[in-house]
């Protein structure tokens, strides 16, 4: 590991009291898995703050169950529901972006960054700037503001623990003290629901088909990303920043069973791999207990029952996302543009405004149309993100119009 920040290989000492935890995005898939682990390990953790976007009812239920001190919704329209649901509980409530930042800044040892999309940037940065341990699931934050984000981590002495299953796996196999011996890391990829589909079949894919992931249960956005393989493209960029490796040292292999999550290849030919059932509670539990371990009720691996583990190379024709991610990394500001265009296109696809193959096409055209930009401040990141969303939006409107005309004709 170079000294410019990154994953902290091992700060000594878990506090000798229950670890105080905050979850940004507690109502999502990652958030609910984290809550599940906290409920199963009540003596080891206390909860400071929980946040959601709009799901005030579930947030209030979680806050009561976990005896949290503060709960906040991002959308002010949902504040009255939260307030009513927590009336008389003694739990403080808040709403809006400032309340999310407050949740991230309140005294806690450990914060789960579990919001989806670049919307997580501001609160996650707030947690980083108070020097906390940040368990990091919200990959879009790193893709959108990678260099800056890593510099903030180093500047504030924060610790980033990878939660994405592939990065968590690599982290567990990565010899941070002898990085010279590392040749490359390998991220595995299930291939998603369309691994064996033709381009014609993919063109007609519906949102329901795209979110039906074969091995993982996740939120809608990451499920679509898994179907396009943009999820793996985002993870490639994430690995580049987390492990401070050039993109050429990050390989992707399709592994449909999702049993091996990540590998580290050493210069003597040794390959260290991390295996486990496809259940996010395993990587979350590792981050929760780090540097110790936390019990998780996940299905234990039975390799004899599984029988066969298979691997194949990704098909660049049907899945251009990996090429686009590598190209984006070669351009200053490219990852920010890629992420913004992808988020905008996935949203449009889920709303039925564009087809499945239009997602990658929108990202590619947006990358072509945006100039290279050096990002030295957060403001510049936000400006670039906004400009890329506008261009992607224009492209989507044009594609959506053409699609409607074709359907009408
Ligand atoms: N799910 C997985 O297995 C998995 C695995 C690896 C990495 N990740 C990454 O983890 C992150 C979360 O994924 P997920 O699957 O848990 O997503 P999800 O189920 O959609 O949940 C997202 C969470 O963020 C909140 N949120 C959404 N938009 C927000 C906004 N504008 N401002 C504030 N909060 C907002 C949601 O609140 P509401 O519930 O109120 O909408 C919810 O709590 C993503 O970056 C994803 O790529 C997920």
């Amino acid at each position: 590991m170079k000294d410019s920040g990154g994953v902290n290989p091992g700060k000594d000492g878990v506090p000798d009291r229950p670890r105080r935890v905050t979850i940004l995005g507690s109502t999502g898939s990652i958030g609910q898995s984290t809550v599940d682990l906290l409920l199963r390990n009540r003596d080891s953790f206390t909860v400071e703050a929980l946040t959601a976007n709009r799901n005030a009812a579930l947030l209030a239920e979680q806050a009561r169950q976990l005896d949290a001190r503060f709960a906040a919704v991002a959308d002010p329209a949902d504040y009255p529901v939260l307030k009513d649901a927590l009336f008389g509980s003694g739990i403080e409530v808040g709403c809006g972006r400032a309340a999310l930042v407050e949740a991230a800044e309140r005294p806690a040892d450990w914060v789960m960054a579990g919001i989806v999309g670049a919307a997580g940037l501001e609160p996650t940065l707030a947690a980083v700037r108070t020097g906390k341990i940040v368990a990091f699931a919200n990959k879009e934050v790193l893709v959108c503001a990678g260099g800056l984000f890593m510099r903030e981590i180093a500047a504030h002495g924060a610790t980033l623990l990878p939660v994405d299953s592939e990065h968590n796996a690599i982290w567990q196999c990565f010899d941070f003290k002898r990085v010279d011996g590392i040749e490359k890391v390998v991220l595995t990829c299930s291939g998603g629901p369309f691994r064996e589909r033709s381009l014609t079949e993919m063109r007609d894919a519906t949102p329901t088909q795209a979110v039906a992931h074969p091995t993982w249960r996740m939120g809608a956005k990451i499920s679509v990303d898994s179907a396009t393989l943009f999820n793996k493209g985002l993870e490639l960029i994430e690995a580049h920043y987390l492990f401070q490796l050039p993109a050429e040292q990050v390989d992707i292999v399709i592994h449909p069973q999702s049993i091996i999550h990540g590998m580290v290849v050493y210069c003597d030919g040794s390959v260290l791999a991390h295996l486990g059932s496809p259940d996010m509670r395993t990587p979350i539990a590792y981050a929760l207990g780090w540097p110790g371990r936390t019990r998780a009720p996940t299905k234990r691996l039975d390799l004899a029952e599984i029988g066969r583990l298979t691997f194949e190379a990704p098909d660049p024709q049907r899945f251009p996302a990996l090429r686009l991610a590598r190209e984006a990394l070669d351009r200053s500001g490219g990852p920010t543009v890629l992420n913004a265009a992808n988020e905008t296109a996935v949203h449009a696809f889920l709303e039925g405004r564009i087809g499945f193959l239009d997602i990658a096409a929108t990202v590619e055209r947006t990358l072509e149309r945006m100039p290279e930009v050096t990002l030295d401040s957060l403001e510049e990141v936000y400006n670039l993100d906004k400009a890329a969303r506008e261009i992607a939006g224009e492209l989507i409107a044009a594609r959506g119009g053409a699609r409607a005309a074709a359907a009408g004709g």
Side-chain angles (χ1 to χ4, degrees), residues 302-388:
D302 182 339
L303 288 174
E305 183 193 348
I306 293 162
R308 251 162 40 99
L309 299 182
T310 60
F311 306 91
E312 59 196 70
D315 174 356
Q317 261 70 49
R318 288 180 303 134
F319 299 103
L322 298 177
R323 168 180 60 80
L324 292 172
R326 290 189 191 278
E327 286 173 9
L329 262 180
D330 279 343
R331 294 162 52 96
S332 191
T336 312
V337 172
L338 175 129
N339 181 64
N342 182 54
E343 278 192 34
T344 311
V346 170
H347 189 61
F349 169 70
L350 285 171
E351 288 185 342
R353 287 186 280 127
I354 56 172
F356 182 76
L357 295 181
D358 294 331
I359 299 173
T362 302
V363 173
E364 183 151 23
R365 297 289 99 74
T366 308
L367 278 165
E368 282 164 10
R369 281 184 50 182
M370 294 293 294
E372 289 205 38
V373 179
T374 309
L375 299 172
D376 290 322
S377 70
L378 207 53
E379 198 188 351
E380 287 166 343
V381 170
Y382 283 129
N383 288 343
L384 184 61
D385 176 270
K386 185 164 174 272

Side-chain angles (χ1 to χ4, degrees), residues 1-11 133-136 142 149-151 153-154 157-164 166-177 179 238-245 286-287 290:
M1 197 81 248
K2 308 227 174 69
D3 58 4
S4 56
V7 181
N8 188 322
K11 248 190 206 168
I133 299 175
V134 178
F136 190 75
L142 206 49
F149 192 78
M150 297 311 280
R151 286 200 288 280
I153 286 169
T159 302
L160 203 60
L161 308 181
V163 167
D164 224 342
E166 298 77 2
H167 306 73
N168 185 280
I170 289 167
W171 171 38
Q172 295 193 43
C173 300
F174 199 97
D175 188 345
F176 287 91
K177 297 206 175 90
V179 284
E238 185 185 10
H240 159 77
Y241 287 118
L242 283 177
F243 302 108
Q244 310 270 294
L245 291 172
Y286 184 60
W290 176 86

Side-chain angles (χ1 to χ4, degrees), residues 241-309:
Y241 287 118
L242 283 177
F243 302 108
Q244 310 270 294
L245 291 172
E248 307 79 68
Q249 282 175 262
V250 183
D251 268 7
I252 312 288
V253 67
I254 305 283
H255 167 45
Q257 297 80 18
S258 301
I259 297 297
I260 297 181
H261 302 298
M263 296 176 257
V264 179
V265 180
Y266 286 88
C267 61
D268 58 2
S270 301
V271 180
L272 300 194
H274 171 279
L275 287 73
S277 295
D279 186 326
M280 284 307 293
R281 289 177 299 180
T282 291
I284 295 170
Y286 184 60
L288 256 180
W290 176 86
R293 298 241 173 206
T294 299
R295 286 196 167 279
T298 54
K299 185 175 186 311
R300 299 308 190 243
L301 266 193
D302 182 339
L303 288 174
E305 183 193 348
I306 293 162
R308 251 162 40 99
L309 299 182

